[in-house]
Amino acid sequence: QLVESGGGSVQAGGSLNLTCVGTGNIFSSCGMAWGFTAPGKARELISTIGSDGVTGYGDSVKGRFTISRDNSKNTLTLLMNSLKIEDTGLYTCVAVCATLYWGRGTQVTVSS
């Protein structure tokens, strides 16, 4: 089970820190990622982190978002800075195992 928190409403240029808490066996053995679903668009992976800590970012968030994980606390985080209106959408925690496991997501709304 993956449970996200930390979403909310923020003005453009602001910051939010998203958190995902999962079960121990997922965090110890799987890569993790954050998915993003903009209104009316398909879900996409915007940031990934392997079990070894190697990170990856989509072009739309590179340099603004930082993904991290704490396996001892079964926690995945996404620090989002310099938020833009187009960052508005549903952010979902993803466990990248042999199967993908998705959380329910947390909503982020960025206004001007």
Side-chain angles (χ1 to χ4, degrees):
Q1 184 180 8
L2 301 170
V3 180
E4 304 91 339
S5 63
S9 297
V10 64
Q11 286 191 319
S15 299
L16 283 174
N17 195 27
L18 306 184
T19 300
C20 169
V21 180
T23 58
N25 55 347
I26 288 178
F27 267 84
S28 63
S29 61
C30 299
M32 300 295 298
W34 284 97
F36 170 63
T37 309
K41 295 188 178 180
R43 185 166 53 188
E44 59 176 327
L45 295 183
I46 56 170
S47 185
T48 61
I49 184 166
S51 55
D52 56 359
V54 175
T55 60
Y57 299 93
D59 289 341
S60 63
V61 304
K62 197 174 297 182
R64 299 189 298 122
F65 291 8
T66 303
I67 190 172
S68 60
R69 65 190 293 169
D70 186 338
N71 291 340
S72 67
K73 298 180 179 178
N74 298 338
T75 300
L76 177 73
T77 62
L78 185 68
L79 175 60
M80 306 189 295
N81 293 321
S82 303
L83 282 162
K84 303 176 181 180
I85 292 175
E86 52 264 43
D87 294 323
T88 294
L90 187 69
Y91 288 78
T92 310
C93 180
V94 189
V96 185
C97 311
T99 302
L100 295 182
Y101 297 95
W102 299 82
R104 285 191 164 188
T106 185
Q107 178 68 31
V108 171
T109 302
V110 184
S111 60
S112 59

